[in-house]
Amino acid sequence: MKAKNECYKHRSNGLWFLLLFLLPCQLYAQNTITIKGIVYDSADGTTLVGVSVNEKGTTNASSTDNKGSFILKVSNPNAQLVFSYLGYKLQEVSLNGQNTVSVKLEPESRGLNEVVVVGYGTQKRGEVTSSIATVKSEDFTKGAVRDAAQLVQGKVAGLRITTPSGDPTASTQINLRGLNSINGSSEPLVLVDGIPGSLNTVSPEDIESIDVLKDGSAAAIYGTRATGGVILITTRKNRGKSKATIEYTNYVNVQKIARRPELMTADDYRRLITEGKNYTDFGSNTDWLDEILQNPVSQNHNLSFFGGTGTTNLTGSVNYRNWEGIFLRTGQERLTIRADLNHAMFDDKLKTNIQVINRTTSSTQGGADGYAYRQAMIRNPTDRILTEDGKWQERAVYFYDNPLSRINEATNDNTFREMRVSGSLDYHPIKDLSLKILASNVQNNNLNGNSTTFDHVNTTKSQLNGTASRSTYSNKENLIELTANYTKSINKHNFTLLGGYSWQDATFENFSAYNFDFPTDAYTWNQLEAGSALKRGLAEMTSFKSKWQLAGFFGRLTYNWNEKYLFMASVRREGSSKFGVNNQWGTFPAASIGWRINKENFMRDIAVVSDLKLRAGYGVTGTIANEPYMSQSSYDFTYNEGAFINGKWVQGFVPTRNFNPDLRWEKKKEYNVGLDFGLLENRVTGSLDYYTRNVEDLLYNFPVPVPPYLTGNMFLNAGTMKNSGFEALLNVKAVDSKLLKWNTNLTYSTNKNKLVDLSNKQFDVTTEFFDAGYTGEPIQSSTHRVKVGGPIGQFFVLKSVGVDDNGKWLVENKDGQVIPIAESTAEDRQYYGNGIPKYLLGWNNSFQIKNFDLQVNIRGAFGHDVLNMQRMYYENPVNKAYNVLKTAYDPVYGKQLNTDLVYVSHYIEKGDYIKIDNITLGYTLPKDFIKKISNLRIYVSGLNLFTITKYKGLDPEGVSYSGDFTFAPGIEHRDTYPTTRTFTAGLNVSF
């Protein structure tokens, strides 16, 4: 019995021991709470996939699934959950005993955690040490915009964007921080989702954000392509939302000429004839400008689709735009299709992306161009349009054609097609390490056809019996980039290390053929061989092919200590086939530092300052020659330098380019100092930047002696150009209440430039100046001169100071004396004004009043001059065969002009202006007002509404500063397509 009791006792002790062992587990099970929840986007109500959910103060975490749901076990019924998601504001939620939660995250559009796209990656705004500007889609210019550039017009300090032409086929002009090259490009590098493209690659409705890398430290990672800056376009994507969404936007607009010149009418002609003026009255009343203008109606439609899960999702869009121009028979159709597919596998360790963009633009136009506009300007208003037998009325006058004949008897068809295919693999083998490969293939081709009928002036005046031409070009570009990115945080030390390799190649080829003297004009360009000019050896045929390669190795280190002290350094080693064998490789380093002053202890009690960061950077970028083979010798067969051999003319074999193995890229060295600030809990934010940049080894075509060289010119590296400037950005949440929200944005910039030197010591050649720009016939003069030691953009002209009693100009000679213009020489021309604005200003305002929204954008440019060519040619009544402006008979210096057309300073005017550029008023219907529609907005908009200026021409902004006029800015040409004023009504709807 005792033994039995002892046994029982031992069993009892073991049981108690087991119960004691299981008790903590039981108590833990009783204290563990299962929390279930779902996370939404507060803006559109869609669920979010991949949101991180953490129990605050612990390592306990979960994430939302492809339905936006999550499950998390916590030990405290009053625990706090922290929800974080890229692009959204961090949010903390207290459970307060709840088992289920529903969370709505707000998009992060502002502040230090805003994601900024940089070269080959992203950074938080607060960690950026370079000069980078970011514009999100909600801040884009609303209404009808031409391309991506107009979305950010006036919103980025230092970025000059203008629309000099109303032609629907034209693009915007863009320049960042002044000119940087003579023979290279000053335009920024445009990357669309990392692939080189253009401002027209995707439709404006398909863009999510635009980031501008402005200074050398930010752009140097792109090496030789980045001297003009870098514009990074990020397209819209499905950011892990599980709910399928369809968006449709459309608009219709009408346009009219922004400012119409006031020409003499038929009544004016008849009045002047009675006053003894030698005009001819043909008996009609014709407003020639009215005859070539139309009232265009344009439309745009965009359909976007977002769908899928957190694992696989798709973004697709179709954009169709049909724009008509204010000139007869002008317009353009554009169709852009984009598909973006993302897939993740292996627990999100491998992410893939495939994107396809197909773009087609086509135009079937007549002969309405700048020259036709000139003919409408000068045409006699008493002349008729047609003769009695229905033919176009023409007159035997020099450079004087019926504009309607040119427009209606010419056909100009153009079709451009582009296919862009890109794909990427992003692999995360271990935590913090990303290995990525990006590849793309871009192919585009252009097909053009041009012809004139037997009723065109080519035949009626020049007896060509019909003309026709056909041309095409093709361009293929391949890109492959390999990158490795490692991110690590150790206590308060945070760093990112990037390394990569890039390869890009392109092949371009074109062909064109021209013929005339056809048996019929019905063929147009479809039977070029039928023209008799071919048999007489007068037809033309050209073809060309070129290829280039670019390879680069690059690396970057970013480091910060406690997000207070910031550092970035990068280097790119790049080789190009465009340069000489002795200089095919170059190195482009960069470094920048930042100090978050607001994080210092001495700033803690200054509550008004929410952010204060001082930064400074230095970077080197390059410029490649526009054309390949410039360092290589070249020969050509030409009939012009041939010889008779055995009774036959044999074309010559002649050199056309000298060999230069030392040709290398230009180098731009840029320093930038900036200050970013935020006040009143970031109700007021902004930045200040000062920069100075020196461009060395400028590419220039110098004259050289023959012999020893084969030809009289040689492409050399020579000289230095300097730019400096100041930029300011200010963002203010002026009013932020339930009833009214008002955000205002101000941008300001100034730029000074100088050509420091233009010489090459190796070849002992020096150029003191070069001329640029031209007036055209009959004046035949350059308009600008760029002088070593002086600023770029200066007009070089005879300075007019009066008119004598005979109506002849009085000008100032080189000694400051007043002389008749007939006694002046080329040495009497002087620098007078500058076509580049000293100051650029942008003021952007957005208002939200309940469901109404209003956007007002104002821009201005100051401190520059414009050569008004229309006044120069049409404000002088000397040639009675041409019509003129009504002001042609106004006194000049109190006298009546009676002199030949000349280029004098009288026609150079102050070009300062302020534009009320865009006003858009919209109304958004209340949510759930219509079932199945999550958002419905209607709006009206006006573009280029009003210009405040003393300039007398059409538009002080209607000037060119690119192409042939890069160094001859500030000319409003007589052969122009006038700018327009646009009125738009549109609809945005989401399902």
Side-chain angles (χ1 to χ4, degrees), residues 771-814:
D771 292 331
Y774 51 88
T775 58
E777 79 292 330
I779 299 175
Q780 305 289 18
S781 171
S782 61
T783 57
H784 293 66
R785 174 166 288 182
V786 182
K787 181 182 179 181
V788 170
I792 297 164
Q794 292 185 108
F795 294 98
F796 194 63
V797 63
L798 289 172
K799 182 180 178 181
S800 53
V801 294
V803 175
D804 64 21
D805 293 336
N806 297 318
K808 311 299 182 183
W809 287 106
L810 297 173
V811 298
E812 186 178 276
N813 70 5
K814 61 182 179 180

Side-chain angles (χ1 to χ4, degrees), residues 279-324:
Y279 286 101
T280 302
D281 184 358
F282 292 110
S284 296
N285 289 275
T286 306
D287 188 327
W288 289 99
L289 204 52
D290 257 359
E291 293 296 333
I292 70 167
L293 293 174
Q294 62 180 357
N295 297 311
V297 178
S298 304
Q299 57 182 309
N300 183 89
H301 304 269
N302 192 87
L303 183 66
S304 300
F305 170 80
F306 306 90
T309 66
T311 302
T312 304
N313 57 73
L314 172 70
T315 301
S317 66
V318 179
N319 179 269
Y320 171 75
R321 188 179 79 178
N322 187 345
W323 273 19
E324 294 184 354

Side-chain angles (χ1 to χ4, degrees), residues 257-409:
I257 188 170
R259 188 174 183 180
R260 182 182 170 127
E262 295 186 15
L263 298 164
M264 290 208 307
T265 64
D267 291 340
D268 293 325
Y269 260 55
R270 293 176 181 117
R271 173 180 53 80
L272 290 170
I273 290 173
T274 62
E275 294 175 4
K277 301 294 190 296
N278 189 26
Y279 286 101
T280 302
D281 184 358
F282 292 110
S284 296
N285 289 275
T286 306
D287 188 327
W288 289 99
L289 204 52
D290 257 359
E291 293 296 333
I292 70 167
L293 293 174
Q294 62 180 357
N295 297 311
V297 178
S298 304
Q299 57 182 309
N300 183 89
H301 304 269
N302 192 87
L303 183 66
S304 300
F305 170 80
F306 306 90
T309 66
T311 302
T312 304
N313 57 73
L314 172 70
T315 301
S317 66
V318 179
N319 179 269
Y320 171 75
R321 188 179 79 178
N322 187 345
W323 273 19
E324 294 184 354
I326 58 171
F327 285 172
L328 293 174
R329 299 188 67 197
T330 60
Q332 184 189 72
E333 287 185 275
R334 186 184 70 188
L335 177 66
T336 306
I337 301 173
R338 186 177 75 93
D340 185 279
L341 178 65
N342 297 279
H343 179 67
M345 60 187 75
F346 308 133
D347 296 326
D348 287 346
K349 285 188 175 182
L350 179 62
K351 296 181 180 180
T352 64
N353 169 265
I354 297 176
Q355 182 170 249
V356 178
I357 303 175
N358 183 277
R359 178 165 59 109
T360 302
T361 61
S362 60
S363 57
T364 301
Q365 303 197 122
D369 53 13
Y371 185 75
Y373 172 75
R374 183 209 299 193
Q375 296 305 312
M377 291 279 289
I378 66 176
R379 195 77 176 173
N380 188 323
T382 70
D383 208 351
R384 57 189 179 182
I385 298 172
L386 300 171
T387 63
E388 290 86 350
D389 56 0
K391 299 292 184 180
W392 301 109
Q393 179 65 66
E394 299 290 357
R395 302 289 177 183
V397 179
Y398 178 73
F399 275 96
Y400 187 82
D401 302 328
N402 189 324
L404 293 170
S405 162
R406 298 191 63 87
I407 292 173
N408 291 288
E409 303 303 333

Side-chain angles (χ1 to χ4, degrees), residues 54-127:
N54 294 75
E55 182 181 359
K56 189 173 182 180
T58 73
T59 58
N60 187 27
S62 180
S63 62
T64 58
D65 59 20
N66 56 17
K67 294 183 180 179
S69 301
F70 72 92
I71 297 176
L72 181 66
K73 292 183 178 182
V74 299
S75 58
N76 185 353
N78 296 316
Q80 284 188 309
L81 302 186
V82 180
F83 296 83
S84 60
Y85 194 50
L86 184 64
Y88 288 77
K89 294 179 180 179
L90 192 77
Q91 187 169 337
E92 295 186 6
V93 176
S94 296
L95 290 178
N96 296 326
Q98 301 177 85
N99 294 329
T100 60
V101 293
S102 177
V103 179
K104 293 183 178 180
L105 295 185
E106 296 183 9
E108 177 71 78
S109 59
R110 290 285 185 272
L112 304 179
N113 291 321
E114 175 188 357
V115 176
V116 176
V117 180
V118 298
Y120 302 103
T122 59
Q123 277 186 291
K124 290 182 180 180
R125 168 64 66 185
E127 299 174 357

